[in-house]
Amino acid sequence: MNSPKSYDGLSAVVFIVGLHEGVMPFVAKLWDGKPTLSLPTRLPSPAWWLVSSSVIVVGFLLLWWIDSAKKRRFPDT
């Protein structure tokens, strides 16, 4: 990763996946929706919220890790 923009792009991908696979199932279950690309909504009841909440936690940790790596590599930005 040679530029800060590559870290920003990776952060954007992690954020979108975390939003779609982590937050979207909770919103979809509130309104009885079924997003086509959200995999946790296809799981049975006790498993979907465990997977979705795990995706949220892992996504948050990855975003934090990517941001700290960006600050270490490019301290002036």
Side-chain angles (χ1 to χ4, degrees):
M1 301 224 182
N2 295 328
S3 71
K5 294 291 183 184
S6 58
Y7 285 98
D8 293 338
L10 186 59
S11 294
V13 169
V14 169
F15 180 76
I16 290 171
V17 168
L19 189 69
H20 199 269
E21 299 296 328
V23 178
M24 181 74 72
F26 287 109
V27 174
K29 293 292 182 172
L30 286 175
W31 286 290
D32 293 328
K34 282 234 178 219
T36 56
L37 296 177
S38 183
L39 298 177
T41 56
R42 300 177 192 276
L43 294 173
S45 182
W48 74 264
W49 61 271
L50 288 171
V51 172
S52 294
S53 58
S54 298
V55 168
I56 291 171
V57 170
V58 169
F60 178 75
L61 291 175
L62 280 174
L63 286 173
W64 178 66
W65 182 68
I66 291 168
D67 189 48
S68 66
K70 177 183 168 186
K71 287 179 183 177
R72 272 186 277 127
R73 177 90 161 104
F74 303 103
D76 54 345
T77 59

